[in-house]
Each structure stands twice: as structure tokens, then as C-alpha cells.
Amino acid sequence: MADKQLESSALSAFCGSMATMFAAGIQSEEAALMLSENRERSRFQEVCRYVYERLVAGDALSQAMAGSGGFPAYAVNMVATGEESGRLEPVLRNLESYYSEEDRVFNKLRVSVGYPAALLCIMTVILAFTVAVILPVFSSVYRNIAGAIGGGSFPSTAASNIIGIVVLVATALCAVAALALAFTTRDETGRTRAIRMFESFGPTRKAMYQLALSRFTGALATYVASGVTTEEAMQRAIDTVEHTALKAKAEKVLASMVDLDNPRSMTQAIGEYELFDPLYVRMLNVGKQSGSVDVVLAQLAETFFDDAIAQIDVALDRIEPLMAAFLTVAVGATLVSVMLPLVGIMQALG
């Protein structure tokens, strides 16, 4: 099988459709067959057909999804979690919601970046023409005039060339980055790379941590609900984490839970290493006392997810104004670079 992953919208459609058919009592292989037959020839149909064939051969749904190459590791791991815990339908519903929001966010990102990227490309062409053609002509004329009246315009001419080149390079780099971001996020592989980049980018770092925390908490809720020990649930949930900082913190929590000298409960360890905010730790304590830890964890996963999406939306809403401001500065700097030699000549005449 080719390893091209499905787009977020297709992942959401697959998970939601499978969950709906499971709720209606349809077996997994029949559900996959129906999905493959109700779509025109596409990567989605190819993946569904492969999943159907592997299910008929006796594979579990998660194994079939992994073999198809069309699903990200997180989706495969969560489906495997749902199968082990007997909560496959709710897991598929959560995945449907997650990938639906991911598709919306990246579509919004492309819209926010697309128009400014086009303007940046146009501005890059104009600046290149200005630096390569217009400024040399101006500089030659100004130098000839200045040669007759003195050398006062020489520093201004040199400064204008430097400003023009700096603005050209900055605008070109910004245009390339914007175009790369717009085009790479069209497929799931590019989106995965973009998520890695956002994890280390200041304005979105916290939001990506919250998103990873939502994934982790959802997996933990599913494992706890399956009846395994909290230590095993924590270990399995950690295995689904790809965010480096969160994984390191969760591993410290697990080490505290299995410490032979002074073992902590899951709630105590989470609070000690500040995996959750104190308010959420108190909620988890209430859930522990009432015997509904899995329910509280599932609610927290939704809270973290909603918070992450809200933060991402705020960051995306700032992109277009920031790029417009950059364009304004670039235009202003270009005008300054053109006018500086003339200012030098006026100073020499004065």
C-alpha cells in the first residue's frame, strides 16, 4: 500500500461513519465495505477497500488501519485503545471531532496565509526590480550630480542600497515561508510537520501543549474505563504521546506512581508534577472519591481540546494583520531607500 495519509476531512468522515454504523449494529468489515462502495475512486476508497480486505482476513480494525498507510499513528493507537477497552465507538466519535476541528483549523490557516502570501510574492518581484534596476540608475545619476557638488550623497546612496537589499531578502524569505506553509498543510503529512513546527513556535507553543494534553487525557480516560490498573493505564497513555515536553512530564508522573519507596496515587502524582492545573487536580480528586475518574478524565480531555482550539484560533486571527503590517513596513522602507540619495544631494546643496 502507498503510504499517503488521508486528509483530516477524510479521517473525520471515516471515524464518524464507522462509529455510526457500529451504533446501528453493523459489523466492522461490512461498514468498511459500505464506505468503499459509496465513494468515487479515490485514496479514501482505496484505503477503505484495503481495511475491508484485512478485516475479512481476520485483522482487528486498528491493524487494518495501520497496514493501509492512510492513518496517522495517533488514530491507529486510539482505535487500538478503544478495541482493548471495549470503548471503540466513543473513541471513534472523539477522533471524528478531533480531525474535523483539525481540518477546520488548517483550512483557516491556508485562508489566513494565502492572500498575504500572494501580496508578498508581488512585493518581492517589485522589490527585486527596484533593487536590480531602479536603485542602480538612481545611484548613478545621484553620483554624477554629487560629483559636481560634493560627496554628501555618497553615504545616503550606500544606505539606500543596503536598505533595499535587506527589505528584498526579508520579504522573499517571508513569502517563501508563507507559501510553504500554505502548500504543505494540504496533506496530512505536511500537517504533521506543521504541528511539530507550531510546538516550538512561541505564540502557538502553549496551544499545542494543550492539544497534546487533550490527546493524552483522552487515552488515559479510555484505559482507566477499561478496568486496567492506573499504572498500566498511565503507561499505555504515555505510549500515545508524541509531544516531547508532555511525554517527559508524564513519565515523571508514572515513575512517582511506581516508586517502591514512596508510591503516589495517580491523582497525587499528577498534582505533584503539575501535569494538570490545580483546579483540574481537585476535579480529579472528586472523581476518585466518587468512583468516576474515567468520566472526569474524559471531561478534562474535552476541556483541554476546546481550550487548545480557542488559543489556535486567536493565533490564526493575528496572522493576517501581522503580515499586512510587515507589508506596510516593507513598502515604507522601499520608499526610504529610493529617497535617501535625493536627501543626500539636498544636504550637499544646502
Side-chain angles (χ1 to χ4, degrees), residues 117-158:
L119 292 180
L120 284 169
C121 291
I122 295 172
M123 189 64 189
T124 300
V125 174
I126 294 173
L127 283 171
F129 181 78
T130 301
V131 171
V133 179
I134 297 178
L135 284 181
V137 171
F138 281 3
S139 297
S140 177
V141 172
Y142 293 157
R143 286 176 183 274
N144 290 335
I145 295 175
I149 61 177
S153 70
F154 293 162
S156 299
T157 301

Side-chain angles (χ1 to χ4, degrees), residues 74 78 91 94-95 97-99 101 206-222 237 240-243 246-247 275-276 280 294 296-312:
Y74 173 68
M78 287 305 298
V91 166
N94 289 336
L95 288 173
S97 175
Y98 174 83
Y99 286 111
E101 280 298 317
K206 182 179 178 181
M208 301 313 296
Y209 179 85
Q210 286 290 100
L211 192 59
L213 186 60
S214 169
R215 286 179 165 191
F216 165 77
T217 308
L220 185 59
T222 302
T240 68
V241 177
E242 298 176 358
H243 192 284
L246 176 61
K247 193 179 188 73
L275 189 62
F276 297 166
Y280 301 136
D294 59 319
V296 174
L297 285 170
Q299 292 173 345
L300 290 179
E302 293 181 8
T303 299
F304 297 149
F305 181 75
D306 292 341
D307 184 37
I309 294 300
Q311 292 182 48
I312 292 171

Side-chain angles (χ1 to χ4, degrees), residues 218-293:
L220 185 59
T222 302
Y223 280 123
V224 170
S226 69
V228 301
T229 64
T230 54
E231 291 80 6
E232 183 178 356
M234 180 65 68
Q235 180 61 69
R236 293 188 181 185
I238 289 173
D239 291 340
T240 68
V241 177
E242 298 176 358
H243 192 284
T244 305
L246 176 61
K247 193 179 188 73
K249 188 177 289 190
E251 286 175 344
K252 291 180 180 178
V253 171
L254 177 60
S256 179
M257 292 171 62
V258 298
D259 186 351
L260 297 178
D261 296 329
N262 187 21
R264 309 286 202 281
S265 69
M266 183 177 70
T267 305
Q268 289 174 328
I270 287 175
E272 180 179 345
Y273 287 97
E274 299 180 346
L275 189 62
F276 297 166
D277 288 340
L279 173 62
Y280 301 136
V281 175
R282 288 195 290 271
M283 291 175 60
L284 200 56
N285 269 319
V286 173
K288 178 182 177 182
Q289 294 170 6
S290 62
S292 56
V293 172

Side-chain angles (χ1 to χ4, degrees), residues 152-217:
S153 70
F154 293 162
S156 299
T157 301
S160 71
N161 289 329
I162 293 173
I163 292 174
I165 292 172
V166 169
V167 173
L168 171 60
V169 171
T171 305
L173 289 175
C174 192
V176 169
L179 287 174
L181 189 59
F183 282 103
T184 57
T185 54
R186 290 181 178 274
D187 59 58
E188 194 62 29
T189 302
R191 292 179 179 186
T192 301
R193 289 196 296 266
I195 289 174
R196 295 288 176 273
M197 180 187 69
F198 292 151
E199 287 177 358
S200 57
F201 183 55
T204 56
R205 186 183 295 116
K206 182 179 178 181
M208 301 313 296
Y209 179 85
Q210 286 290 100
L211 192 59
L213 186 60
S214 169
R215 286 179 165 191
F216 165 77
T217 308

